Structures are given as structure tokens and as C-alpha cells.
Amino acid sequence: MFVRNKLRQGESFSSRYGAGKSVSKSKKHSFRDHSVAAGVKRAESSAQPSPRKDQSSDPTSPNLTSAIITLVVGPDQRLFAAHEDVLCNSSFFQAACRGQFLESHAKRINLPEESPEILSSVLEFLYKGDYYPKLLHNKRKDTWELEDRGANGNNESTIYHHAVGGNLLKDTVIYCAALRYDLPELGRLALRKQGLQSGIQVSTILSSARYAYAQTPDTDSKLRAHYLALIIRSKNTFKRSGTMQMEMEEGGRLFFDLFVAMCNHIDDLGTISRSPFTR
């Protein structure tokens, strides 16, 4: 399902604003491990033993005894299975499991517009608190980085999306899915991971930005702002891009917002240059 475009000259950039991947062999901890570490330490230092909690009351331990729900995904009707209690961490799936979209004769939810790769990542998050590639904490450098895949460090940052007929940034599509399924923590995780990506083609960035604008409300101030800042910071690459020129000639809300953001950026630079504290 993954389709890779041939890199054209002048059509890629390496982000100077994302963290690079470390080659250090120091032990790394996942995003989920890091988030619960403090709680574990407090529990170990307690002098009095506490009563053991039922596993079902722990939000990080899914109930694996609930009913199995079948999900039919994408135009090819790929089949997925998940526990009802796990799905119900999403208000979207909770409503579906209660009968709003659930077929009466079978525990089945149809998602014809969804990408199988994206739903797989959503389910992985619901079960494990993260999705591949994992977000790892480098304790030695005190930085976050993405889990590598193989010797070449390829972590499949893009996917082929049937709805647009081309490649999109995987984390952008997951962010938009998190909005649909009401999973805000997944959205924050996807945005954080996207900030660590580098070496993405200009055409893929612009296609992903258009997808983000189509799939998010006008009130979104996170993913849209991420793309605006990325284009402004890498303006020297984008202004040489023939793809950028064609996209701008097509127009759209993205480029009006970009114009406003660049005007604000110029105003800020002017304010700094006039400051009596600037040398």
C-alpha cells in the first residue's frame, strides 16, 4: 500500500527544526513508558502496600474479555477486529457500538472512506498507547526521537491514500483521523511525531497541507499552523519549487493563510529591527 515517489531535483528539504535520529546505543524509553515512570517511582517508595486494583479499572490496560467488533475498512473492504471496550475509548466508536452505525444482524462497523493503514495505527494506539514508529525518549540527550526501521532508518513517514490518489504524510492523516474519532491524545502524538520528520518531498508536503485543510475545521490552530510555519521557515526551498508555483496558481484557503502568516512574520521582523535593544 505504500507508494514512493521518485525524488526530483530541488523538490525536497531537510527540516532544521526537527530532532534528528540518534545512532547512540543508549537505552531508549517509549512515550508511554516515560509518562508512567513518575507514578511507578511513587508507588515503589510507598511504605504501606495499597490494595491491588482490578485490571479493568486501569485505562492503560484494555478489557480483552468484551465482545469482538468487526470493522470493514476502505474501498477494498479490509477486515479488522477489535474489542468493544477498547473501541469505546473513542466516542465515535462508542456511538457506533451502541447502535448508531452498527448493523443489527452482526457486530460490524463499516468505514468505507477510511484507509486501512490509518485504522491499523488507530487500533495500535488504542491498545498500546502509541503507534509505529514509536516515539522514544533518549535519556542521555533528554530528547524525543522516532524508532528506526532497519539499517537505513526508514520509518515509512508517508502512505498512499486512495482518496487523493497520491502520497500523504502519515502523521497528518492520523491527526485528522484522531479528530474524527475524538481521540485528542492521539492527535497530539501525531503532531509531535510529524515535527520529527525530515527529507520529505515538497509535493508531498503541499498535498498533505491541502488534505489537512480539507479535513480539519477552520478553528484548527495546530496542524494548519504547523504547515504554515514549515513553509515559511523553508521558504528558500519552496520558492524554487515548480510544484509550489502550480499549487499557488490553483489557490485555496491554504495560500491565503500563508499570505497572512508571512505578513505577520514580516511585521514581527520589522518590530525587532526597530527595537532599541537590537544591535
Side-chain angles (χ1 to χ4, degrees), residues 118-213:
I118 297 304
L119 185 72
S120 178
S121 294
V122 171
L123 292 178
E124 187 179 1
F125 170 81
L126 288 173
Y127 276 94
K128 300 180 180 180
D130 202 345
Y131 63 89
Y132 187 84
K134 287 183 179 180
L135 185 64
L136 302 176
H137 183 241
N138 187 320
K139 293 184 68 175
R140 185 174 65 83
K141 294 183 176 181
D142 194 23
T143 58
W144 291 94
E145 54 197 47
L146 294 176
E147 176 183 29
D148 288 339
R149 163 172 282 190
N152 59 1
N154 177 18
N155 55 38
E156 296 187 355
S157 58
T158 64
I159 66 163
Y160 180 84
H161 199 286
H162 65 272
V164 300
N167 279 9
L168 296 174
L169 282 169
K170 177 181 177 180
D171 296 316
T172 287
V173 185
I174 290 177
Y175 178 96
C176 296
L179 290 181
R180 288 196 303 275
Y181 301 137
D182 191 22
L183 293 169
E185 187 61 34
L186 174 59
R188 286 190 286 271
L189 179 61
L191 195 65
R192 190 170 191 177
K193 286 187 175 185
Q194 181 158 308
L196 299 176
Q197 299 290 355
S198 63
I200 309 299
Q201 296 183 44
V202 167
S203 58
T204 301
I205 292 172
L206 294 175
S207 296
S208 301
R210 281 195 177 276
Y211 179 87
Y213 265 74

Side-chain angles (χ1 to χ4, degrees), residues 27-55:
K27 183 178 180 182
K28 301 182 180 66
H29 299 276
S30 70
F31 179 72
R32 181 180 176 184
D33 292 340
H34 185 78
S35 65
V36 300
V40 172
K41 289 181 180 179
R42 286 194 297 270
E44 290 176 345
S45 63
S46 176
Q48 298 294 330
S50 58
R52 183 177 180 180
K53 294 183 180 180
D54 185 89
Q55 187 179 19

Side-chain angles (χ1 to χ4, degrees), residues 243-275:
T243 304
M244 182 67 169
Q245 180 180 347
M246 289 188 293
E247 288 283 346
M248 292 190 73
E249 289 173 355
E250 257 186 66
R253 176 65 184 269
L254 164 64
F255 296 102
F256 175 77
D257 286 355
L258 180 61
F259 168 74
V260 173
M262 293 191 75
C263 288
N264 292 336
H265 180 64
I266 293 171
D267 289 344
D268 291 342
L269 291 177
T271 301
I272 293 173
S273 65
R274 292 192 298 271
S275 172

Side-chain angles (χ1 to χ4, degrees), residues 233-252:
R233 290 169 178 172
S234 304
K235 57 185 180 297
N236 289 333
T237 298
F238 280 89
K239 72 180 182 181
R240 295 193 302 267
S241 168
T243 304
M244 182 67 169
Q245 180 180 347
M246 289 188 293
E247 288 283 346
M248 292 190 73
E249 289 173 355
E250 257 186 66

